[in-house]
Amino acid sequence: MAHERQPQGKGVCWTLSLWSVAVVSILLLSACFIASCVLTYQLTMDNPNGRLSERHTNHSSISCVSVGTMVSGKAWSCCPKDWKSFGPNCYFISTTSVASWKKSKGKCSSMGAHLLVIHSKEEQDFITRILDKQTAYFIGLRDPGHRQWRWVDKTPYNKSATFWHKGEPNNENEQCVVINHRPAGWGWNDVFCNHGHSSVCQMNKIYL
């Protein structure tokens, strides 16, 4: 009596299907691993100490937007959550406390930032659109003596790109600067460094 023969084609196909699934799974896992390594490498390369930008280590989360190009190898620009984005920078407006210029500077430093530095009318206009007209804010400009104004980030002080109120600066003993609003509009005013004011912090964006 002839024995029935099992259809081997189905068994072979089933085995091939299992192998195909296994191979595809391995490839996908490998791709994910490689992508993770590349991203981690990219993040660590942004920081000389091999960590994700120390500017952001004191923040619980960051918010990123697409920059719309990969030409530079960067696809996203990011700021800490609740910071404002403009150009290559992120800005944080202090609204809950006032402090001296020195303490305000230290507060910004503790967040990996520095007091606001302004080098263009566009930046001045951006900042003043989001500030409270009833409040004065320390910026990162200071006079160590003899009216030698210096920015906290060591960038040059350019007299042609300043926004002093009319008649300001007017007191050599007032060696720090706030940005505030007067009937004529927003501008800079020299003030005593130990007086308490709000402040604006600034940091560079991180690009991923």
Side-chain angles (χ1 to χ4, degrees), residues 124-199:
Q124 168 86 358
D125 291 344
F126 162 77
I127 286 296
T128 54
R129 283 196 297 269
I130 57 177
L131 298 181
D132 182 354
K133 292 182 179 181
Q134 306 303 316
T135 305
Y137 302 84
F138 275 126
I139 64 175
L141 188 61
R142 193 175 186 280
D143 169 27
H146 307 292
R147 282 328 204 199
Q148 299 296 315
W149 295 105
R150 294 178 183 175
W151 289 110
V152 292
D153 68 346
K154 310 300 182 182
T155 54
Y157 173 74
N158 183 359
K159 291 182 179 180
S160 64
T162 59
F163 305 93
W164 296 102
H165 284 297
K166 185 176 180 180
E168 302 291 348
N170 65 355
N171 185 341
E172 290 192 2
N173 294 317
E174 297 177 330
Q175 296 179 302
C176 291
V177 180
V178 295
I179 182 170
N180 62 359
H181 190 271
R182 293 181 178 178
W186 286 95
W188 301 354
N189 179 34
D190 57 339
V191 296
F192 291 105
C193 296
N194 60 354
H195 284 187
H197 295 287
S198 296
S199 58

Coordinates of all heavy atoms in Angstrom, one line a residue, residues 124-199:
Q124 N 16.6 93.4 19.8 CA 16.0 94.4 20.8 C 14.5 94.4 20.6 O 13.7 94.3 21.6 CB 16.5 95.8 20.5 CG 15.8 96.9 21.2 CD 16.3 97.2 22.6 OE1 17.1 96.5 23.1 NE2 15.7 98.2 23.2
D125 N 14.0 94.4 19.3 CA 12.5 94.5 19.1 C 11.9 93.2 19.5 O 10.8 93.2 20.0 CB 12.3 94.7 17.6 CG 12.7 96.1 17.2 OD1 12.8 97.0 18.1 OD2 12.8 96.4 16.0
F126 N 12.5 92.0 19.3 CA 12.0 90.7 19.7 C 11.8 90.7 21.2 O 10.7 90.3 21.7 CB 12.9 89.6 19.2 CG 12.6 88.3 19.9 CD1 11.5 87.5 19.6 CD2 13.4 87.9 21.0 CE1 11.2 86.4 20.3 CE2 13.2 86.7 21.6 CZ 12.1 85.9 21.3
I127 N 12.8 91.1 21.9 CA 12.8 91.0 23.4 C 11.7 91.9 23.9 O 10.9 91.6 24.8 CB 14.1 91.3 24.0 CG1 15.1 90.2 23.8 CG2 14.0 91.7 25.4 CD1 14.7 88.9 24.5
T128 N 11.7 93.1 23.4 CA 10.7 94.1 24.0 C 9.3 93.8 23.7 O 8.4 94.2 24.4 CB 11.0 95.5 23.5 OG1 11.0 95.5 22.0 CG2 12.4 96.0 24.0
R129 N 9.0 93.0 22.7 CA 7.6 92.6 22.4 C 7.1 91.6 23.4 O 5.9 91.4 23.5 CB 7.6 91.9 21.0 CG 7.6 92.9 19.8 CD 7.1 92.3 18.5 NE 8.0 91.2 18.1 CZ 9.0 91.3 17.3 NH1 9.3 92.5 16.8 NH2 9.7 90.3 17.0
I130 N 8.0 90.9 24.1 CA 7.5 89.9 25.1 C 7.8 90.3 26.6 O 7.7 89.5 27.5 CB 8.2 88.5 24.8 CG1 9.7 88.6 24.8 CG2 7.7 88.0 23.5 CD1 10.4 87.3 24.6
L131 N 8.2 91.5 26.8 CA 8.5 92.0 28.1 C 7.3 92.8 28.7 O 6.5 93.3 27.9 CB 9.8 92.9 28.2 CG 11.1 92.2 27.8 CD1 12.2 93.2 27.9 CD2 11.3 91.0 28.6
D132 N 7.3 92.9 30.0 CA 6.2 93.7 30.7 C 6.6 95.1 30.8 O 7.7 95.4 31.3 CB 6.0 93.1 32.1 CG 4.9 93.8 32.8 OD1 4.4 94.8 32.4 OD2 4.6 93.3 33.9
K133 N 5.8 96.0 30.3 CA 6.2 97.5 30.3 C 6.3 98.0 31.7 O 6.9 99.1 31.8 CB 5.1 98.2 29.5 CG 5.1 98.0 28.0 CD 4.1 98.8 27.3 CE 4.1 98.5 25.8 NZ 3.1 99.4 25.0
Q134 N 5.8 97.4 32.7 CA 5.8 97.9 34.0 C 7.1 97.4 34.8 O 7.2 97.7 36.0 CB 4.6 97.4 34.8 CG 3.3 97.8 34.2 CD 3.1 99.3 33.9 OE1 3.4 100.1 34.8 NE2 2.6 99.6 32.7
T135 N 7.9 96.6 34.1 CA 9.1 96.0 34.8 C 10.4 96.4 34.1 O 10.4 96.6 32.9 CB 8.9 94.4 34.7 OG1 7.6 94.1 35.3 CG2 10.0 93.8 35.5
A136 N 11.4 96.5 34.9 CA 12.8 96.7 34.4 C 13.6 95.4 34.5 O 13.4 94.7 35.5 CB 13.5 97.8 35.2
Y137 N 14.4 95.1 33.5 CA 15.1 93.8 33.4 C 16.6 94.1 33.2 O 17.0 94.8 32.3 CB 14.6 93.0 32.2 CG 13.1 92.7 32.2 CD1 12.2 93.7 31.7 CD2 12.6 91.5 32.7 CE1 10.8 93.4 31.7 CE2 11.2 91.3 32.7 CZ 10.4 92.2 32.2 OH 9.0 92.0 32.2
F138 N 17.4 93.5 34.1 CA 18.8 93.5 34.0 C 19.2 92.8 32.7 O 18.7 91.8 32.3 CB 19.5 92.8 35.1 CG 19.8 93.7 36.3 CD1 19.3 93.3 37.6 CD2 20.4 94.9 36.2 CE1 19.5 94.0 38.7 CE2 20.7 95.7 37.3 CZ 20.2 95.2 38.6
I139 N 20.2 93.4 32.0 CA 20.8 92.8 30.8 C 22.3 92.6 31.1 O 22.8 93.1 32.1 CB 20.6 93.6 29.5 CG1 21.3 94.9 29.5 CG2 19.1 93.7 29.2 CD1 21.2 95.7 28.2
G140 N 23.0 91.9 30.2 CA 24.4 91.5 30.5 C 25.4 92.6 30.1 O 26.5 92.2 29.6
L141 N 25.1 93.8 30.4 CA 26.0 94.9 30.1 C 26.4 95.6 31.4 O 25.6 96.0 32.2 CB 25.4 95.9 29.2 CG 26.2 97.1 28.6 CD1 27.4 96.5 27.8 CD2 25.4 98.0 27.7
R142 N 27.7 95.8 31.6 CA 28.2 96.4 32.8 C 29.5 97.3 32.6 O 30.2 97.0 31.6 CB 28.6 95.3 33.8 CG 28.8 95.7 35.2 CD 29.1 94.6 36.2 NE 29.1 95.0 37.6 CZ 30.2 95.5 38.2 NH1 31.3 95.7 37.5 NH2 30.2 95.9 39.4
D143 N 29.6 98.3 33.4 CA 30.8 99.2 33.4 C 31.7 98.9 34.5 O 31.4 99.2 35.7 CB 30.2 100.6 33.4 CG 31.4 101.6 33.6 OD1 32.5 101.3 33.2 OD2 31.1 102.7 34.1
P144 N 32.9 98.3 34.3 CA 33.8 98.1 35.4 C 34.5 99.4 35.9 O 35.2 99.3 36.9 CB 34.8 97.1 34.8 CG 34.8 97.4 33.3 CD 33.4 97.8 33.0
G145 N 34.3 100.4 35.1 CA 34.9 101.7 35.5 C 35.2 102.5 34.3 O 35.5 102.0 33.2
H146 N 35.1 103.9 34.4 CA 35.5 104.8 33.3 C 34.6 104.6 32.0 O 35.1 104.9 30.9 CB 37.0 104.7 33.0 CG 37.9 104.8 34.2 ND1 38.0 105.9 34.9 CD2 38.6 103.8 34.8 CE1 38.9 105.7 35.9 NE2 39.2 104.4 35.9
R147 N 33.4 104.2 32.2 CA 32.5 104.0 31.1 C 33.0 103.1 30.0 O 32.9 103.3 28.8 CB 32.1 105.3 30.5 CG 31.0 106.1 31.3 CD 30.1 105.2 32.1 NE 28.8 105.8 32.4 CZ 28.0 105.4 33.3 NH1 28.3 104.3 34.0 NH2 26.8 105.9 33.5
Q148 N 33.7 102.0 30.5 CA 34.2 101.0 29.5 C 33.2 99.8 29.5 O 33.4 98.8 30.2 CB 35.5 100.5 30.0 CG 36.6 101.6 30.0 CD 36.9 102.1 28.6 OE1 37.0 101.4 27.7 NE2 37.0 103.5 28.5
W149 N 32.1 100.0 28.8 CA 31.0 99.0 28.9 C 31.4 97.7 28.3 O 32.1 97.6 27.3 CB 29.8 99.5 28.1 CG 29.1 100.8 28.7 CD1 29.3 102.0 28.2 CD2 28.4 100.8 29.9 NE1 28.6 102.9 29.0 CE2 28.0 102.2 30.1 CE3 27.9 99.9 30.8 CZ2 27.2 102.6 31.1 CZ3 27.1 100.3 31.9 CH2 26.8 101.6 32.0
R150 N 31.0 96.6 29.0 CA 31.4 95.3 28.6 C 30.2 94.3 28.7 O 29.5 94.3 29.6 CB 32.6 94.7 29.4 CG 33.9 95.5 29.3 CD 35.0 95.0 30.2 NE 36.2 95.8 30.1 CZ 37.2 95.6 30.9 NH1 37.2 94.7 31.8 NH2 38.3 96.4 30.7
W151 N 30.1 93.4 27.7 CA 29.1 92.4 27.7 C 29.6 91.2 28.5 O 30.8 90.9 28.4 CB 28.7 92.0 26.3 CG 28.0 93.0 25.5 CD1 28.4 93.7 24.4 CD2 26.6 93.4 25.7 NE1 27.4 94.5 23.9 CE2 26.3 94.4 24.7 CE3 25.6 93.0 26.6 CZ2 25.0 95.0 24.6 CZ3 24.4 93.6 26.5 CH2 24.1 94.6 25.5
V152 N 28.7 90.5 29.1 CA 29.1 89.3 29.9 C 29.7 88.2 29.1 O 30.4 87.3 29.6 CB 27.9 88.8 30.8 CG1 27.6 89.8 31.9 CG2 26.7 88.5 29.9
D153 N 29.3 88.1 27.8 CA 29.8 87.0 27.0 C 31.1 87.3 26.3 O 31.5 86.6 25.4 CB 28.7 86.6 26.0 CG 28.4 87.6 24.9 OD1 28.8 88.8 25.1 OD2 27.8 87.3 23.9
K154 N 31.7 88.5 26.6 CA 33.0 88.9 26.1 C 32.9 89.4 24.7 O 33.9 89.7 24.1 CB 34.0 87.8 26.2 CG 34.1 87.1 27.5 CD 34.5 88.1 28.6 CE 34.7 87.4 30.0 NZ 35.0 88.3 31.1
T155 N 31.7 89.5 24.1 CA 31.6 90.1 22.7 C 31.8 91.6 22.8 O 31.5 92.2 23.8 CB 30.2 89.8 22.1 OG1 29.2 90.2 23.0 CG2 30.1 88.3 21.8
P156 N 32.3 92.2 21.7 CA 32.6 93.6 21.7 C 31.4 94.5 21.9 O 30.3 94.2 21.4 CB 33.2 93.8 20.3 CG 33.7 92.5 19.9 CD 32.7 91.5 20.4
Y157 N 31.6 95.6 22.6 CA 30.5 96.6 22.8 C 30.6 97.5 21.6 O 31.6 98.2 21.4 CB 30.7 97.3 24.1 CG 29.8 98.5 24.3 CD1 28.5 98.3 24.6 CD2 30.3 99.8 24.2 CE1 27.6 99.4 24.8 CE2 29.5 100.9 24.4 CZ 28.1 100.7 24.7 OH 27.3 101.8 24.9
N158 N 29.5 97.5 20.8 CA 29.4 98.3 19.6 C 28.5 99.5 19.8 O 27.3 99.4 20.0 CB 28.9 97.4 18.5 CG 28.9 98.2 17.1 OD1 29.3 99.3 17.1 ND2 28.5 97.5 16.1
K159 N 29.1 100.7 19.9 CA 28.4 101.9 20.2 C 27.3 102.2 19.1 O 26.3 102.8 19.4 CB 29.3 103.1 20.3 CG 30.2 103.1 21.5 CD 31.1 104.3 21.5 CE 32.0 104.3 22.7 NZ 32.9 105.6 22.8
S160 N 27.5 101.7 17.9 CA 26.5 101.9 16.9 C 25.3 101.0 16.9 O 24.4 101.1 16.2 CB 27.2 101.8 15.5 OG 27.6 100.4 15.3
A161 N 25.4 100.0 17.9 CA 24.3 99.1 18.0 C 23.8 99.1 19.5 O 23.8 98.0 20.1 CB 24.7 97.7 17.6
T162 N 23.5 100.3 20.0 CA 23.1 100.4 21.4 C 21.7 101.1 21.4 O 21.3 101.7 20.4 CB 24.1 101.2 22.2 OG1 24.2 102.5 21.6 CG2 25.4 100.5 22.3
F163 N 21.0 100.9 22.5 CA 19.6 101.4 22.5 C 19.3 102.1 23.8 O 18.3 101.8 24.4 CB 18.6 100.2 22.3 CG 18.9 99.4 21.0 CD1 19.8 98.3 21.1 CD2 18.4 99.8 19.8 CE1 20.1 97.6 19.9 CE2 18.8 99.1 18.6 CZ 19.6 98.0 18.7
W164 N 20.2 103.0 24.1 CA 20.0 103.8 25.3 C 18.8 104.8 25.2 O 18.5 105.3 24.1 CB 21.2 104.7 25.6 CG 22.5 103.9 25.9 CD1 23.5 103.6 25.0 CD2 22.9 103.3 27.1 NE1 24.5 102.9 25.6 CE2 24.1 102.7 26.9 CE3 22.2 103.2 28.4 CZ2 24.8 102.0 27.9 CZ3 22.9 102.5 29.4 CH2 24.2 101.9 29.2
H165 N 18.1 105.0 26.3 CA 17.1 106.0 26.4 C 17.8 107.4 26.2 O 19.0 107.5 26.4 CB 16.4 106.0 27.7 CG 15.4 105.0 27.9 ND1 14.3 104.8 27.1 CD2 15.3 103.9 28.8 CE1 13.5 103.8 27.6 NE2 14.2 103.2 28.6
K166 N 17.1 108.3 25.7 CA 17.6 109.7 25.5 C 18.2 110.2 26.9 O 17.5 110.1 27.9 CB 16.6 110.6 25.0 CG 17.1 112.0 24.7 CD 16.0 112.9 24.1 CE 16.6 114.3 23.7 NZ 15.5 115.1 23.1
G167 N 19.4 110.7 26.8 CA 20.0 111.2 28.1 C 20.7 110.1 28.9 O 21.3 110.5 29.9
E168 N 20.7 108.9 28.5 CA 21.3 107.8 29.2 C 22.5 107.3 28.4 O 22.6 107.4 27.2 CB 20.4 106.6 29.4 CG 19.1 107.0 30.1 CD 19.3 107.3 31.6 OE1 20.5 107.1 32.1 OE2 18.4 107.8 32.2
P169 N 23.5 106.8 29.1 CA 23.8 106.7 30.5 C 24.1 108.0 31.1 O 24.8 108.8 30.4 CB 24.9 105.7 30.6 CG 25.7 105.8 29.4 CD 24.7 106.1 28.3
N170 N 23.7 108.2 32.4 CA 23.8 109.6 32.9 C 24.5 109.7 34.3 O 24.5 110.7 34.9 CB 22.5 110.3 33.0 CG 21.5 109.6 33.9 OD1 21.9 108.5 34.5 ND2 20.4 110.1 34.1
N171 N 25.0 108.5 34.8 CA 25.6 108.5 36.1 C 26.7 107.5 36.2 O 26.4 106.3 36.1 CB 24.5 108.2 37.2 CG 25.0 108.3 38.6 OD1 26.2 108.3 38.9 ND2 24.0 108.5 39.5
E172 N 27.9 107.9 36.4 CA 29.1 107.0 36.4 C 29.0 106.1 37.6 O 29.7 105.0 37.6 CB 30.4 107.8 36.5 CG 30.7 108.6 35.1 CD 32.1 109.1 35.1 OE1 32.8 108.8 36.1 OE2 32.4 109.7 34.1
N173 N 28.2 106.3 38.6 CA 28.1 105.4 39.7 C 27.1 104.3 39.4 O 27.0 103.3 40.2 CB 27.7 106.2 41.0 CG 28.7 107.2 41.4 OD1 29.9 106.8 41.5 ND2 28.3 108.4 41.8
E174 N 26.3 104.5 38.4 CA 25.4 103.4 38.0 C 26.0 102.6 36.9 O 26.1 103.0 35.7 CB 24.1 104.1 37.4 CG 23.3 104.9 38.5 CD 22.1 105.6 38.0 OE1 22.1 105.9 36.8 OE2 21.1 105.8 38.7
Q175 N 26.5 101.5 37.3 CA 27.4 100.7 36.4 C 26.8 99.5 35.8 O 27.5 98.7 35.1 CB 28.7 100.3 37.2 CG 29.5 101.5 37.7 CD 30.7 101.1 38.5 OE1 30.6 100.4 39.5 NE2 31.9 101.5 38.0
C176 N 25.5 99.2 36.0 CA 24.8 98.1 35.4 C 23.7 98.7 34.6 O 23.3 99.9 34.6 CB 24.3 97.2 36.5 SG 25.6 96.3 37.3
V177 N 23.0 97.8 33.8 CA 22.1 98.3 32.8 C 20.8 97.5 32.9 O 20.8 96.3 33.0 CB 22.7 98.2 31.4 CG1 21.6 98.7 30.3 CG2 23.9 99.1 31.3
V178 N 19.7 98.2 32.8 CA 18.4 97.5 32.6 C 17.8 97.9 31.3 O 18.1 99.0 30.8 CB 17.4 97.9 33.8 CG1 17.9 97.3 35.1 CG2 17.1 99.3 33.8
I179 N 16.9 97.1 30.8 CA 16.0 97.5 29.7 C 14.6 97.7 30.3 O 14.1 96.9 31.0 CB 16.0 96.4 28.6 CG1 15.2 96.8 27.4 CG2 15.6 95.0 29.1 CD1 15.3 95.9 26.2
N180 N 14.1 98.9 30.0 CA 12.8 99.3 30.5 C 12.0 100.1 29.6 O 12.5 100.6 28.5 CB 12.9 100.0 31.9 CG 13.7 101.3 31.8 OD1 14.2 101.7 30.8 ND2 13.9 101.9 33.0
H181 N 10.8 100.4 29.9 CA 9.9 101.1 29.0 C 9.6 102.5 29.6 O 9.3 102.7 30.8 CB 8.6 100.4 28.8 CG 7.7 100.9 27.8 ND1 6.8 101.9 28.0 CD2 7.6 100.7 26.4 CE1 6.2 102.2 26.9 NE2 6.7 101.5 25.9
R182 N 9.7 103.5 28.7 CA 9.3 104.9 29.1 C 8.3 105.4 28.1 O 8.0 104.7 27.1 CB 10.5 105.8 29.0 CG 11.6 105.5 30.1 CD 12.8 106.4 30.0 NE 13.7 106.2 31.1 CZ 14.9 106.8 31.2 NH1 15.2 107.8 30.3 NH2 15.7 106.6 32.2
P183 N 7.7 106.5 28.3 CA 6.7 107.0 27.3 C 7.2 107.0 25.9 O 6.4 106.8 25.0 CB 6.4 108.4 27.8 CG 6.6 108.3 29.3 CD 7.7 107.4 29.5
A184 N 8.5 107.2 25.7 CA 9.0 107.3 24.3 C 9.3 105.9 23.8 O 9.6 105.7 22.6 CB 10.3 108.1 24.3
G185 N 9.1 104.8 24.6 CA 9.4 103.5 24.1 C 10.4 102.7 25.0 O 10.7 103.2 26.1
W186 N 10.8 101.6 24.5 CA 11.8 100.8 25.2 C 13.2 101.3 25.0 O 13.5 101.8 23.9 CB 11.7 99.3 24.7 CG 10.5 98.6 25.2 CD1 9.3 98.4 24.5 CD2 10.4 97.9 26.4 NE1 8.5 97.7 25.3 CE2 9.1 97.3 26.5 CE3 11.2 97.7 27.5 CZ2 8.6 96.6 27.5 CZ3 10.8 96.9 28.6 CH2 9.5 96.4 28.6
G187 N 14.0 101.1 26.0 CA 15.4 101.5 25.9 C 16.3 101.0 27.1 O 15.8 100.3 27.9
W188 N 17.5 101.4 27.1 CA 18.5 101.0 28.1 C 18.7 102.1 29.1 O 18.7 103.3 28.7 CB 19.8 100.6 27.5 CG 19.8 99.5 26.6 CD1 18.7 98.7 26.2 CD2 20.9 99.0 25.8 NE1 19.1 97.8 25.3 CE2 20.4 97.9 25.0 CE3 22.2 99.4 25.7 CZ2 21.2 97.3 24.1 CZ3 23.0 98.7 24.8 CH2 22.5 97.7 24.0
N189 N 18.9 101.8 30.4 CA 19.1 102.8 31.4 C 20.1 102.3 32.4 O 20.1 101.1 32.8 CB 17.7 103.0 32.1 CG 17.9 104.0 33.3 OD1 18.7 105.0 33.2 ND2 17.2 103.8 34.3
D190 N 21.1 103.1 32.7 CA 22.1 102.7 33.6 C 21.5 102.8 35.0 O 20.8 103.8 35.3 CB 23.4 103.5 33.5 CG 23.2 105.0 33.6 OD1 22.1 105.4 33.4 OD2 24.2 105.7 33.9
V191 N 21.8 101.8 35.9 CA 21.3 101.7 37.2 C 22.3 101.2 38.2 O 23.4 100.7 37.8 CB 20.0 100.8 37.3 CG1 18.9 101.3 36.4 CG2 20.4 99.4 36.9
F192 N 22.0 101.3 39.5 CA 22.9 100.8 40.5 C 22.9 99.3 40.5 O 21.8 98.7 40.5 CB 22.6 101.3 41.9 CG 22.8 102.8 42.1 CD1 21.8 103.7 42.1 CD2 24.1 103.3 42.2 CE1 22.0 105.1 42.2 CE2 24.4 104.6 42.3 CZ 23.3 105.5 42.3
C193 N 24.0 98.7 40.6 CA 24.1 97.2 40.4 C 23.4 96.5 41.6 O 23.0 95.3 41.4 CB 25.5 96.8 40.3 SG 26.3 97.4 38.8
N194 N 23.4 97.1 42.7 CA 22.9 96.4 43.9 C 21.4 96.5 44.1 O 20.8 96.0 45.0 CB 23.6 96.8 45.2 CG 23.4 98.3 45.5 OD1 22.9 99.0 44.6 ND2 23.9 98.8 46.6
H195 N 20.7 97.3 43.2 CA 19.3 97.4 43.2 C 18.6 96.1 42.7 O 19.2 95.4 41.8 CB 18.8 98.6 42.4 CG 19.1 99.9 43.1 ND1 18.6 101.1 42.7 CD2 19.7 100.2 44.3 CE1 18.9 102.1 43.5 NE2 19.6 101.5 44.5
G196 N 17.4 95.8 43.1 CA 16.8 94.6 42.6 C 15.9 94.8 41.4 O 15.1 95.8 41.4
H197 N 16.1 94.0 40.4 CA 15.3 94.1 39.2 C 15.0 92.6 38.7 O 15.7 91.7 39.1 CB 16.0 94.9 38.1 CG 16.1 96.3 38.4 ND1 15.1 97.2 38.4 CD2 17.3 97.0 38.8 CE1 15.5 98.4 38.8 NE2 16.8 98.3 39.0
S198 N 14.1 92.5 37.7 CA 14.0 91.2 37.0 C 15.1 91.1 36.0 O 16.0 92.0 36.0 CB 12.6 91.2 36.3 OG 11.5 91.2 37.2
S199 N 15.1 90.0 35.3 CA 16.3 89.9 34.3 C 15.8 89.0 33.2 O 14.8 88.3 33.2 CB 17.4 89.2 35.1 OG 17.1 88.0 35.6

